[in-house]
Amino acid sequence: DAGVIQSPRHEVTEMGQEVTLRCKPISGHNSLFWYRQTMMRGLELLIYFNNNVPIDDSGMPEDRFSAKMPNASFSTLKIQPSEPRDSAVYFCASSLALGGSNTDTQYFGPGTRLTVL
Amino acid sequence: ELKVEQNPLFLSMQEGKNYTIYCNYSTTSDRLYWYRQDPGKSLESLFVLLSNGAVKQEGRLMASLDTKARLSTLHITAAVHDLSATYFCAVASNFGNEKLTFGTGTRLTIIP
């Protein structure tokens, strides 16, 4: 299995531009998570989906951030417009949730390092 | 709101020594995870602990969970350089919820 795939691996953009991060979860997994990691705030959950449906988006910082999961094998995280404070590493993770209680661990992708100038 | 605290934040230890990393959390939970992150890399799953008294071991690492004390420990035995990394614990918010709250991480450096 290729694991969780993220693209791009690095993104440098200017303030005000739109940024789209992409994620392909592990085949057969039905839950997908977007995290942000910074030195100041550590690792934060932004949003997670189960069976392509957003379940908890309480970590999405503001309306500039949006996430979609149009099918079981693809998700996007979009920032529009981007700001320098959005600079961080964004991780996507997936897991297999069984019944109502997920005991499976979350498998993380390699991350996208975003720099907003 | 679930809060997860790890200590120490930084740990520098000599090869061959033993040490323990602590993870405290503020509310009842049914699952606790330990992850490892190498510099500039992703997170790698180490252990999943699901019940009070659970103990898991892999090589020189052993994790345990005390749900009554809301405490998990990650014990390192006879440390070797390859164990240098940042270790995170993560706690599930509540029963059946998949949302994880991560601790601040413990940056472990093993000195030859």
Side-chain angles (χ1 to χ4, degrees):
Chain A
D1 196 326
V4 176
I5 298 172
Q6 290 186 246
S7 65
R9 296 290 305 274
H10 300 272
E11 177 80 30
V12 180
T13 190
E14 292 188 346
M15 183 173 62
Q17 296 298 306
E18 177 180 298
V19 175
T20 299
L21 311 181
R22 297 173 175 80
C23 176
K24 176 179 170 56
I26 292 172
S27 177
H29 281 187
N30 59 358
S31 290
L32 183 139
F33 308 80
W34 283 101
Y35 290 90
R36 177 172 68 178
Q37 186 176 37
T38 61
M39 289 294 293
M40 292 298 294
R41 300 177 66 89
L43 197 63
E44 305 172 279
L45 177 68
L46 301 177
I47 185 171
Y48 86 88
F49 297 84
N50 180 256
N51 293 322
N52 312 336
V53 176
I55 303 299
D56 188 332
D57 65 355
S58 60
M60 296 286 263
E62 49 198 274
D63 291 346
R64 297 184 298 107
F65 286 69
S66 62
K68 294 182 179 180
M69 191 164 187
N71 57 61
S73 59
F74 184 65
S75 177
T76 59
L77 178 68
K78 185 178 293 186
I79 308 172
Q80 166 62 21
S82 58
E83 297 182 2
R85 61 193 167 119
D86 301 330
S87 297
V89 179
Y90 290 82
F91 288 105
C92 175
S94 72
S95 70
L96 177 62
L98 301 175
S101 177
N102 175 24
T103 58
D104 190 17
T105 193
Q106 295 179 17
Y107 295 86
F108 281 72
T112 295
R113 183 173 295 276
L114 173 65
T115 302
V116 183
L117 303 175
Chain B
E1 179 187 352
L2 172 60
K3 294 189 185 303
V4 181
E5 293 183 352
Q6 282 183 241
N7 66 83
L9 297 183
F10 299 93
L11 176 57
S12 183
M13 54 190 292
Q14 288 185 319
E15 279 190 328
K17 300 291 187 182
N18 303 333
Y19 209 83
T20 301
I21 299 170
Y22 298 88
C23 174
N24 291 89
Y25 54 98
S26 60
T27 63
T28 303
S29 172
D30 61 346
R31 283 161 286 139
L32 189 139
Y33 303 78
W34 283 97
Y35 287 87
R36 167 183 172 147
Q37 185 178 35
D38 292 306
K41 302 293 186 182
S42 185
L43 282 80
E44 173 191 354
S45 177
L46 295 174
F47 301 108
V48 182
L49 302 169
L50 301 175
S51 60
N52 188 41
V55 177
K56 291 196 174 179
Q57 184 163 4
E58 180 73 33
R60 300 175 188 274
L61 300 178
M62 183 175 70
S64 65
L65 178 62
D66 182 342
T67 58
K68 294 181 181 179
R70 297 175 186 165
L71 170 68
S72 179
T73 60
L74 181 65
H75 187 72
I76 303 149
T77 302
V80 294
H81 181 69
D82 287 352
L83 292 179
S84 296
T86 299
Y87 293 85
F88 292 93
C89 64
V91 181
S93 296
N94 52 49
F95 294 96
N97 193 311
E98 298 181 68
K99 180 177 180 177
L100 296 183
T101 299
F102 280 77
T104 51
T106 296
R107 182 175 293 184
L108 173 65
T109 303
I110 309 297
I111 303 169

